[in-house]
Amino acid sequence: MDSQLDMFSKAPPPAVEEVSPRVALPRRPQPTTLSDEDMARKLEDSRNYRVLRKLVARPVAASRRPEFSRIGVILDTETTGLNHRTDEVIEIGAVAFTFNDDGMIGDVIGVYGGLQQPSAPIPPEITRLTGITEAMVEGQVIDIRALRKLIEPADLVIAHNAGFDRPFCDVFSPVFSGKAWACSVSEIDWSARGFEGTKLGYLIGQAGYFHEGHRAVDDCFALLEILDRQQADEESAFQELYLASQQSRVRIFAEHSPFDMKDHLKARGYRWSDGSDGRPKSWWVEVDEDDLDEELRYLRSDIYQWDEADPPILHLTAFDRFRA
């Protein structure tokens, strides 16, 4: 009976599950998007990294600014070897730019780059060095007319080792005859500027850049950036180079110097000429005009040991320097 009554009794209310109040979780910070330059600076600021930035070629200006009245041309050649008499030019790159009388660089106003097929196969070591293959030069000829448009109006032609490039250029075309040349290796004191070497790759790397090396036009643009680089209040490398190009130098030939003095001359920086290039067969050196008297005193007292010795001398300007 009790069980039947239980069937009609009220069922107990269902248990209520306690719900904890929802707790707001902290939002994760969104990652900050950094530009490539911001990331580079962050690495540099840590002082644990040095970052090299890709060197970007300057654009060619649509017009010339009148305050930059002079024209310079940075020139680079690739050749089949080291001898300008027997080897040939296979690539020429040139970048023309404006500058003023104070050596301040303006704008790029012209660019030329061209390949040329040599009369003999390119040596394998040259291909390894330059990346220029037989297939690349096949049927190629350097456009002299295009090159002339850059070279003829130039006040100064600059090469990174003009003693190599100028003889090849003089043989290649008369367009280079009568031009003033400057050498960005020998006429700039790179060590005083904090650089550990004079090779273009060293200069570019220490300046914080990298570039596609050993292609003529790329090397020209790279050199332009280094020449125009200026730190603090110091003059730019190009200002130093332009000033040096205006100075006359003197080449002294220690002709008929005693044979047993050759090591002394070599240690002082003299170089040997075998006479095949029209120079006297002798040891020779180039000095600034201001150093001429001191160098003659050295030769007369230490080498010839004769006060009346009168070695041949040749005065040189930028129009004469770096010829073969």
Side-chain angles (χ1 to χ4, degrees), residues 135-194:
M136 292 168 61
V137 299
E138 185 176 1
Q140 298 293 315
V141 178
I142 290 171
D143 188 342
I144 294 297
R145 286 188 297 179
L147 192 58
R148 183 180 291 115
K149 288 181 180 179
L150 298 185
I151 301 299
E152 280 188 344
D155 296 288
L156 190 65
V157 178
I158 302 129
H160 201 64
N161 190 3
F164 174 83
D165 291 282
R166 180 168 192 174
F168 273 99
C169 289
D170 286 341
V171 171
F172 183 76
S173 171
V175 70
F176 295 100
S177 64
K179 304 308 296 185
W181 282 70
C183 178
S184 53
V185 171
S186 63
E187 295 184 290
I188 297 173
D189 190 348
W190 292 109
S191 62
R193 295 176 176 274

Short mmCIF file of all heavy atoms in Angstrom, two decimals, residues 135-194:
data_model
loop_
_atom_site.label_atom_id
_atom_site.label_comp_id
_atom_site.label_asym_id
_atom_site.label_seq_id
_atom_site.Cartn_x
_atom_site.Cartn_y
_atom_site.Cartn_z
N ALA A 135 79.58 31.25 -73.58
CA ALA A 135 78.22 31.44 -74.07
C ALA A 135 77.76 32.88 -73.90
O ALA A 135 77.02 33.42 -74.74
CB ALA A 135 77.27 30.48 -73.35
N MET A 136 78.19 33.52 -72.83
CA MET A 136 77.77 34.90 -72.57
C MET A 136 78.35 35.89 -73.57
O MET A 136 77.69 36.87 -73.93
CB MET A 136 78.16 35.30 -71.14
CG MET A 136 77.40 34.57 -70.05
SD MET A 136 78.13 34.81 -68.40
CE MET A 136 77.97 36.59 -68.22
N VAL A 137 79.57 35.65 -74.03
CA VAL A 137 80.22 36.63 -74.91
C VAL A 137 80.06 36.29 -76.39
O VAL A 137 80.43 37.11 -77.25
CB VAL A 137 81.72 36.76 -74.58
CG1 VAL A 137 81.92 37.24 -73.16
CG2 VAL A 137 82.46 35.43 -74.81
N GLU A 138 79.51 35.13 -76.68
CA GLU A 138 79.41 34.72 -78.08
C GLU A 138 78.61 35.75 -78.89
O GLU A 138 77.46 36.07 -78.59
CB GLU A 138 78.74 33.35 -78.19
CG GLU A 138 78.71 32.81 -79.62
CD GLU A 138 78.13 31.41 -79.71
OE1 GLU A 138 77.74 30.86 -78.65
OE2 GLU A 138 78.07 30.87 -80.82
N GLY A 139 79.25 36.28 -79.91
CA GLY A 139 78.61 37.26 -80.80
C GLY A 139 78.47 38.65 -80.22
O GLY A 139 77.89 39.54 -80.86
N GLN A 140 78.99 38.89 -79.01
CA GLN A 140 78.84 40.18 -78.35
C GLN A 140 79.95 41.15 -78.76
O GLN A 140 81.11 40.76 -78.92
CB GLN A 140 78.85 40.01 -76.83
CG GLN A 140 77.72 39.17 -76.29
CD GLN A 140 76.38 39.84 -76.46
OE1 GLN A 140 76.23 41.02 -76.20
NE2 GLN A 140 75.40 39.08 -76.92
N VAL A 141 79.59 42.42 -78.91
CA VAL A 141 80.56 43.48 -79.24
C VAL A 141 80.23 44.70 -78.37
O VAL A 141 79.07 45.10 -78.27
CB VAL A 141 80.49 43.88 -80.72
CG1 VAL A 141 81.47 45.02 -81.01
CG2 VAL A 141 80.79 42.69 -81.62
N ILE A 142 81.24 45.26 -77.73
CA ILE A 142 81.03 46.45 -76.92
C ILE A 142 80.66 47.62 -77.82
O ILE A 142 81.29 47.85 -78.85
CB ILE A 142 82.30 46.76 -76.09
CG1 ILE A 142 82.47 45.70 -74.99
CG2 ILE A 142 82.24 48.16 -75.48
CD1 ILE A 142 83.77 45.77 -74.25
N ASP A 143 79.64 48.36 -77.44
CA ASP A 143 79.11 49.48 -78.22
C ASP A 143 79.98 50.73 -77.96
O ASP A 143 79.80 51.42 -76.96
CB ASP A 143 77.66 49.74 -77.83
CG ASP A 143 76.98 50.76 -78.73
OD1 ASP A 143 77.68 51.53 -79.41
OD2 ASP A 143 75.74 50.80 -78.75
N ILE A 144 80.91 51.00 -78.87
CA ILE A 144 81.83 52.12 -78.69
C ILE A 144 81.08 53.45 -78.68
O ILE A 144 81.42 54.37 -77.93
CB ILE A 144 82.91 52.11 -79.78
CG1 ILE A 144 83.81 50.88 -79.63
CG2 ILE A 144 83.76 53.38 -79.71
CD1 ILE A 144 84.60 50.86 -78.34
N ARG A 145 80.07 53.58 -79.51
CA ARG A 145 79.34 54.85 -79.57
C ARG A 145 78.65 55.15 -78.24
O ARG A 145 78.66 56.29 -77.76
CB ARG A 145 78.32 54.83 -80.70
CG ARG A 145 78.96 54.94 -82.08
CD ARG A 145 77.91 55.10 -83.16
NE ARG A 145 77.02 53.93 -83.23
CZ ARG A 145 76.00 53.83 -84.08
NH1 ARG A 145 75.72 54.84 -84.90
NH2 ARG A 145 75.26 52.74 -84.10
N ALA A 146 78.04 54.13 -77.65
CA ALA A 146 77.39 54.33 -76.36
C ALA A 146 78.41 54.65 -75.27
O ALA A 146 78.18 55.50 -74.40
CB ALA A 146 76.60 53.08 -75.98
N LEU A 147 79.56 53.99 -75.33
CA LEU A 147 80.62 54.23 -74.36
C LEU A 147 81.18 55.64 -74.54
O LEU A 147 81.46 56.35 -73.56
CB LEU A 147 81.71 53.18 -74.53
CG LEU A 147 82.77 53.07 -73.43
CD1 LEU A 147 82.13 52.80 -72.08
CD2 LEU A 147 83.77 51.98 -73.78
N ARG A 148 81.34 56.07 -75.79
CA ARG A 148 81.90 57.40 -76.07
C ARG A 148 81.03 58.51 -75.47
O ARG A 148 81.54 59.52 -75.00
CB ARG A 148 82.07 57.60 -77.58
CG ARG A 148 82.71 58.94 -77.95
CD ARG A 148 82.85 59.11 -79.44
NE ARG A 148 83.85 58.18 -79.96
CZ ARG A 148 83.58 57.19 -80.80
NH1 ARG A 148 82.34 56.99 -81.21
NH2 ARG A 148 84.55 56.41 -81.24
N LYS A 149 79.71 58.32 -75.49
CA LYS A 149 78.81 59.34 -74.94
C LYS A 149 79.08 59.60 -73.46
O LYS A 149 78.85 60.71 -72.96
CB LYS A 149 77.36 58.91 -75.13
CG LYS A 149 76.88 58.98 -76.57
CD LYS A 149 75.41 58.55 -76.67
CE LYS A 149 74.91 58.62 -78.11
NZ LYS A 149 73.49 58.19 -78.23
N LEU A 150 79.56 58.58 -72.76
CA LEU A 150 79.87 58.75 -71.34
C LEU A 150 81.29 59.27 -71.13
O LEU A 150 81.53 60.11 -70.27
CB LEU A 150 79.71 57.42 -70.60
CG LEU A 150 78.32 56.78 -70.58
CD1 LEU A 150 78.34 55.55 -69.69
CD2 LEU A 150 77.26 57.75 -70.10
N ILE A 151 82.24 58.78 -71.94
CA ILE A 151 83.64 59.07 -71.69
C ILE A 151 84.05 60.45 -72.19
O ILE A 151 84.79 61.18 -71.51
CB ILE A 151 84.54 57.99 -72.33
CG1 ILE A 151 84.20 56.61 -71.76
CG2 ILE A 151 86.02 58.31 -72.12
CD1 ILE A 151 84.41 56.47 -70.28
N GLU A 152 83.62 60.84 -73.37
CA GLU A 152 84.10 62.09 -73.99
C GLU A 152 83.88 63.32 -73.11
O GLU A 152 84.77 64.16 -72.98
CB GLU A 152 83.49 62.28 -75.37
CG GLU A 152 84.18 61.45 -76.45
CD GLU A 152 83.69 61.79 -77.84
OE1 GLU A 152 82.62 62.43 -77.97
OE2 GLU A 152 84.38 61.43 -78.82
N PRO A 153 82.69 63.50 -72.49
CA PRO A 153 82.51 64.72 -71.68
C PRO A 153 83.08 64.62 -70.27
O PRO A 153 83.00 65.60 -69.51
CB PRO A 153 80.99 64.87 -71.64
CG PRO A 153 80.46 63.48 -71.75
CD PRO A 153 81.43 62.74 -72.63
N ALA A 154 83.67 63.50 -69.91
CA ALA A 154 84.10 63.28 -68.52
C ALA A 154 85.31 64.15 -68.18
O ALA A 154 86.27 64.25 -68.95
CB ALA A 154 84.42 61.81 -68.29
N ASP A 155 85.27 64.76 -66.99
CA ASP A 155 86.42 65.49 -66.46
C ASP A 155 87.42 64.55 -65.79
O ASP A 155 88.59 64.87 -65.67
CB ASP A 155 85.95 66.53 -65.44
CG ASP A 155 85.07 67.60 -66.06
OD1 ASP A 155 85.59 68.44 -66.81
OD2 ASP A 155 83.85 67.56 -65.82
N LEU A 156 86.93 63.40 -65.34
CA LEU A 156 87.79 62.46 -64.61
C LEU A 156 87.25 61.06 -64.79
O LEU A 156 86.05 60.82 -64.66
CB LEU A 156 87.81 62.83 -63.12
CG LEU A 156 88.82 62.10 -62.24
CD1 LEU A 156 90.24 62.47 -62.64
CD2 LEU A 156 88.59 62.47 -60.77
N VAL A 157 88.16 60.11 -65.11
CA VAL A 157 87.82 58.70 -65.19
C VAL A 157 88.44 58.01 -63.98
O VAL A 157 89.64 58.17 -63.72
CB VAL A 157 88.33 58.06 -66.50
CG1 VAL A 157 88.01 56.57 -66.54
CG2 VAL A 157 87.73 58.77 -67.71
N ILE A 158 87.65 57.26 -63.25
CA ILE A 158 88.10 56.63 -62.00
C ILE A 158 88.04 55.13 -62.15
O ILE A 158 87.04 54.58 -62.63
CB ILE A 158 87.21 57.06 -60.83
CG1 ILE A 158 87.22 58.59 -60.68
CG2 ILE A 158 87.64 56.39 -59.53
CD1 ILE A 158 85.86 59.18 -60.60
N ALA A 159 89.08 54.45 -61.74
CA ALA A 159 89.10 52.99 -61.73
C ALA A 159 89.69 52.52 -60.41
O ALA A 159 90.55 53.18 -59.83
CB ALA A 159 89.92 52.45 -62.89
N HIS A 160 89.21 51.38 -59.94
CA HIS A 160 89.74 50.81 -58.71
C HIS A 160 90.92 49.91 -59.08
O HIS A 160 90.80 48.69 -59.20
CB HIS A 160 88.66 50.02 -57.97
CG HIS A 160 88.94 49.83 -56.52
ND1 HIS A 160 89.01 50.89 -55.64
CD2 HIS A 160 89.18 48.71 -55.78
CE1 HIS A 160 89.27 50.43 -54.43
NE2 HIS A 160 89.39 49.11 -54.50
N ASN A 161 92.05 50.54 -59.26
CA ASN A 161 93.32 50.02 -59.76
C ASN A 161 93.49 50.49 -61.21
O ASN A 161 93.48 49.70 -62.15
CB ASN A 161 93.42 48.50 -59.68
CG ASN A 161 94.85 48.01 -59.98
OD1 ASN A 161 95.76 48.83 -60.18
ND2 ASN A 161 95.05 46.70 -60.03
N ALA A 162 93.65 51.79 -61.34
CA ALA A 162 93.78 52.40 -62.66
C ALA A 162 95.03 51.94 -63.39
O ALA A 162 95.07 51.95 -64.62
CB ALA A 162 93.80 53.93 -62.53
N GLY A 163 96.05 51.51 -62.65
CA GLY A 163 97.24 50.99 -63.29
C GLY A 163 96.97 49.74 -64.10
O GLY A 163 97.73 49.40 -65.01
N PHE A 164 95.89 49.04 -63.79
CA PHE A 164 95.46 47.88 -64.58
C PHE A 164 94.50 48.29 -65.68
O PHE A 164 94.67 47.93 -66.85
CB PHE A 164 94.80 46.84 -63.67
CG PHE A 164 94.20 45.68 -64.41
CD1 PHE A 164 94.97 44.60 -64.80
CD2 PHE A 164 92.84 45.67 -64.72
CE1 PHE A 164 94.42 43.53 -65.50
CE2 PHE A 164 92.27 44.61 -65.42
CZ PHE A 164 93.07 43.54 -65.81
N ASP A 165 93.46 49.05 -65.33
CA ASP A 165 92.39 49.35 -66.28
C ASP A 165 92.82 50.32 -67.38
O ASP A 165 92.41 50.15 -68.54
CB ASP A 165 91.18 49.93 -65.54
CG ASP A 165 90.49 48.89 -64.67
OD1 ASP A 165 89.74 48.07 -65.22
OD2 ASP A 165 90.69 48.90 -63.45
N ARG A 166 93.62 51.33 -67.05
CA ARG A 166 93.94 52.33 -68.07
C ARG A 166 94.70 51.74 -69.25
O ARG A 166 94.35 52.03 -70.41
CB ARG A 166 94.71 53.51 -67.46
CG ARG A 166 95.04 54.55 -68.54
CD ARG A 166 95.53 55.87 -68.03
NE ARG A 166 95.52 56.83 -69.12
CZ ARG A 166 95.80 58.11 -68.99
NH1 ARG A 166 96.09 58.61 -67.80
NH2 ARG A 166 95.77 58.93 -70.03
N PRO A 167 95.75 50.95 -69.05
CA PRO A 167 96.45 50.39 -70.22
C PRO A 167 95.53 49.57 -71.12
O PRO A 167 95.63 49.65 -72.34
CB PRO A 167 97.55 49.52 -69.58
CG PRO A 167 97.82 50.17 -68.28
CD PRO A 167 96.48 50.63 -67.80
N PHE A 168 94.64 48.79 -70.54
CA PHE A 168 93.69 48.01 -71.35
C PHE A 168 92.76 48.94 -72.13
O PHE A 168 92.47 48.71 -73.30
CB PHE A 168 92.87 47.07 -70.48
CG PHE A 168 93.53 45.74 -70.23
CD1 PHE A 168 94.22 45.49 -69.05
CD2 PHE A 168 93.46 44.73 -71.19
CE1 PHE A 168 94.83 44.26 -68.82
CE2 PHE A 168 94.06 43.50 -70.97
CZ PHE A 168 94.75 43.26 -69.79
N CYS A 169 92.29 50.00 -71.48
CA CYS A 169 91.38 50.93 -72.15
C CYS A 169 92.08 51.71 -73.26
O CYS A 169 91.49 51.95 -74.32
CB CYS A 169 90.78 51.89 -71.13
SG CYS A 169 89.58 51.13 -70.01
N ASP A 170 93.34 52.10 -73.03
CA ASP A 170 94.08 52.82 -74.05
C ASP A 170 94.28 51.98 -75.31
O ASP A 170 94.22 52.48 -76.43
CB ASP A 170 95.44 53.27 -73.51
CG ASP A 170 95.33 54.45 -72.55
OD1 ASP A 170 94.29 55.13 -72.57
OD2 ASP A 170 96.28 54.68 -71.78
N VAL A 171 94.50 50.68 -75.11
CA VAL A 171 94.64 49.77 -76.24
C VAL A 171 93.29 49.54 -76.91
O VAL A 171 93.18 49.45 -78.13
CB VAL A 171 95.25 48.42 -75.79
CG1 VAL A 171 95.18 47.39 -76.92
CG2 VAL A 171 96.70 48.62 -75.36
N PHE A 172 92.23 49.48 -76.10
CA PHE A 172 90.91 49.13 -76.61
C PHE A 172 90.33 50.20 -77.53
O PHE A 172 89.75 49.88 -78.58
CB PHE A 172 89.96 48.89 -75.43
CG PHE A 172 88.58 48.46 -75.83
CD1 PHE A 172 88.35 47.16 -76.26
CD2 PHE A 172 87.52 49.35 -75.81
CE1 PHE A 172 87.08 46.76 -76.65
CE2 PHE A 172 86.26 48.96 -76.19
CZ PHE A 172 86.03 47.66 -76.61
N SER A 173 90.46 51.47 -77.16
CA SER A 173 89.85 52.53 -77.96
C SER A 173 90.53 53.88 -77.72
O SER A 173 90.89 54.21 -76.57
CB SER A 173 88.36 52.66 -77.61
OG SER A 173 87.80 53.81 -78.22
N PRO A 174 90.69 54.68 -78.77
CA PRO A 174 91.26 56.02 -78.61
C PRO A 174 90.36 56.97 -77.85
O PRO A 174 90.78 58.08 -77.51
CB PRO A 174 91.46 56.49 -80.06
CG PRO A 174 90.52 55.68 -80.88
CD PRO A 174 90.43 54.36 -80.19
N VAL A 175 89.12 56.58 -77.56
CA VAL A 175 88.22 57.45 -76.81
C VAL A 175 88.79 57.77 -75.43
O VAL A 175 88.46 58.80 -74.82
CB VAL A 175 86.82 56.82 -76.69
CG1 VAL A 175 86.84 55.62 -75.77
CG2 VAL A 175 85.80 57.85 -76.20
N PHE A 176 89.68 56.90 -74.94
CA PHE A 176 90.25 57.10 -73.60
C PHE A 176 91.51 57.96 -73.60
O PHE A 176 91.97 58.38 -72.54
CB PHE A 176 90.56 55.74 -72.96
CG PHE A 176 89.34 54.91 -72.70
CD1 PHE A 176 88.97 53.88 -73.57
CD2 PHE A 176 88.54 55.14 -71.60
CE1 PHE A 176 87.84 53.11 -73.33
CE2 PHE A 176 87.41 54.38 -71.36
CZ PHE A 176 87.06 53.37 -72.23
N SER A 177 92.08 58.21 -74.76
CA SER A 177 93.32 58.99 -74.81
C SER A 177 93.03 60.43 -74.43
O SER A 177 92.00 61.00 -74.79
CB SER A 177 93.93 58.92 -76.21
OG SER A 177 93.07 59.52 -77.16
N GLY A 178 93.94 61.02 -73.70
CA GLY A 178 93.78 62.41 -73.31
C GLY A 178 92.86 62.66 -72.14
O GLY A 178 92.56 63.81 -71.81
N LYS A 179 92.38 61.59 -71.48
CA LYS A 179 91.51 61.76 -70.32
C LYS A 179 92.32 61.77 -69.03
O LYS A 179 93.38 61.13 -68.93
CB LYS A 179 90.47 60.65 -70.24
CG LYS A 179 89.60 60.48 -71.47
CD LYS A 179 88.94 61.76 -71.92
CE LYS A 179 87.95 62.30 -70.92
NZ LYS A 179 87.23 63.50 -71.46
N ALA A 180 91.83 62.51 -68.06
CA ALA A 180 92.44 62.50 -66.73
C ALA A 180 91.91 61.28 -65.97
O ALA A 180 90.71 61.00 -65.98
CB ALA A 180 92.09 63.77 -65.98
N TRP A 181 92.83 60.56 -65.32
CA TRP A 181 92.47 59.34 -64.60
C TRP A 181 92.80 59.49 -63.11
O TRP A 181 93.72 60.20 -62.73
CB TRP A 181 93.23 58.14 -65.15
CG TRP A 181 92.70 57.59 -66.43
CD1 TRP A 181 92.76 58.18 -67.66
CD2 TRP A 181 92.02 56.34 -66.62
NE1 TRP A 181 92.16 57.37 -68.60
CE2 TRP A 181 91.70 56.24 -68.00
CE3 TRP A 181 91.66 55.30 -65.77
CZ2 TRP A 181 91.04 55.14 -68.53
CZ3 TRP A 181 91.00 54.20 -66.29
CH2 TRP A 181 90.69 54.13 -67.66
N ALA A 182 92.05 58.77 -62.30
CA ALA A 182 92.32 58.70 -60.87
C ALA A 182 92.17 57.25 -60.43
O ALA A 182 91.37 56.50 -60.99
CB ALA A 182 91.36 59.59 -60.09
N CYS A 183 92.93 56.88 -59.41
CA CYS A 183 92.92 55.50 -58.92
C CYS A 183 92.40 55.48 -57.49
O CYS A 183 93.02 56.06 -56.58
CB CYS A 183 94.33 54.91 -58.97
SG CYS A 183 94.42 53.22 -58.32
N SER A 184 91.30 54.81 -57.28
CA SER A 184 90.70 54.76 -55.95
C SER A 184 91.38 53.75 -55.03
O SER A 184 90.99 53.64 -53.86
CB SER A 184 89.20 54.43 -56.05
OG SER A 184 88.98 53.26 -56.81
N VAL A 185 92.40 53.05 -55.52
CA VAL A 185 93.20 52.19 -54.64
C VAL A 185 94.37 52.98 -54.08
O VAL A 185 94.56 53.06 -52.85
CB VAL A 185 93.72 50.95 -55.39
CG1 VAL A 185 94.73 50.18 -54.53
CG2 VAL A 185 92.58 50.02 -55.76
N SER A 186 95.16 53.59 -54.97
CA SER A 186 96.42 54.20 -54.55
C SER A 186 96.30 55.66 -54.12
O SER A 186 97.21 56.18 -53.47
CB SER A 186 97.45 54.10 -55.68
OG SER A 186 97.02 54.84 -56.82
N GLU A 187 95.21 56.34 -54.45
CA GLU A 187 95.12 57.77 -54.17
C GLU A 187 94.15 58.11 -53.05
O GLU A 187 93.79 59.26 -52.86
CB GLU A 187 94.75 58.54 -55.45
CG GLU A 187 95.84 58.43 -56.53
CD GLU A 187 95.54 59.26 -57.76
OE1 GLU A 187 94.60 58.90 -58.51
OE2 GLU A 187 96.24 60.26 -57.97
N ILE A 188 93.75 57.10 -52.30
CA ILE A 188 92.91 57.30 -51.10
C ILE A 188 93.57 56.54 -49.96
O ILE A 188 93.97 55.39 -50.12
CB ILE A 188 91.48 56.79 -51.33
CG1 ILE A 188 90.78 57.58 -52.44
CG2 ILE A 188 90.67 56.88 -50.04
CD1 ILE A 188 89.43 57.01 -52.83
N ASP A 189 93.69 57.19 -48.80
CA ASP A 189 94.27 56.54 -47.62
C ASP A 189 93.15 55.78 -46.90
O ASP A 189 92.55 56.29 -45.95
CB ASP A 189 94.91 57.59 -46.71
CG ASP A 189 95.72 56.95 -45.59
OD1 ASP A 189 95.61 55.72 -45.39
OD2 ASP A 189 96.47 57.68 -44.91
N TRP A 190 92.88 54.56 -47.35
CA TRP A 190 91.79 53.78 -46.79
C TRP A 190 92.05 53.39 -45.34
O TRP A 190 91.12 53.32 -44.53
CB TRP A 190 91.53 52.55 -47.64
CG TRP A 190 90.98 52.86 -48.99
CD1 TRP A 190 91.62 52.75 -50.20
CD2 TRP A 190 89.66 53.34 -49.30
NE1 TRP A 190 90.79 53.13 -51.23
CE2 TRP A 190 89.59 53.49 -50.71
CE3 TRP A 190 88.55 53.65 -48.53
CZ2 TRP A 190 88.44 53.96 -51.35
CZ3 TRP A 190 87.40 54.11 -49.16
CH2 TRP A 190 87.35 54.26 -50.55
N SER A 191 93.30 53.12 -45.00
CA SER A 191 93.59 52.71 -43.62
C SER A 191 93.28 53.84 -42.64
O SER A 191 92.80 53.59 -41.52
CB SER A 191 95.07 52.29 -43.48
OG SER A 191 95.93 53.38 -43.79
N ALA A 192 93.52 55.09 -43.04
CA ALA A 192 93.18 56.22 -42.18
C ALA A 192 91.68 56.36 -41.99
O ALA A 192 91.22 56.96 -41.02
CB ALA A 192 93.75 57.51 -42.77
N ARG A 193 90.91 55.76 -42.89
CA ARG A 193 89.45 55.78 -42.80
C ARG A 193 88.91 54.56 -42.06
O ARG A 193 87.70 54.34 -42.02
CB ARG A 193 88.85 55.87 -44.20
CG ARG A 193 89.16 57.17 -44.91
CD ARG A 193 88.65 57.24 -46.34
NE ARG A 193 88.91 58.55 -46.90
CZ ARG A 193 88.11 59.61 -46.75
NH1 ARG A 193 86.97 59.48 -46.11
NH2 ARG A 193 88.44 60.78 -47.25
N GLY A 194 89.81 53.74 -41.51
CA GLY A 194 89.39 52.61 -40.70
C GLY A 194 89.17 51.32 -41.46
O GLY A 194 88.63 50.36 -40.90
#
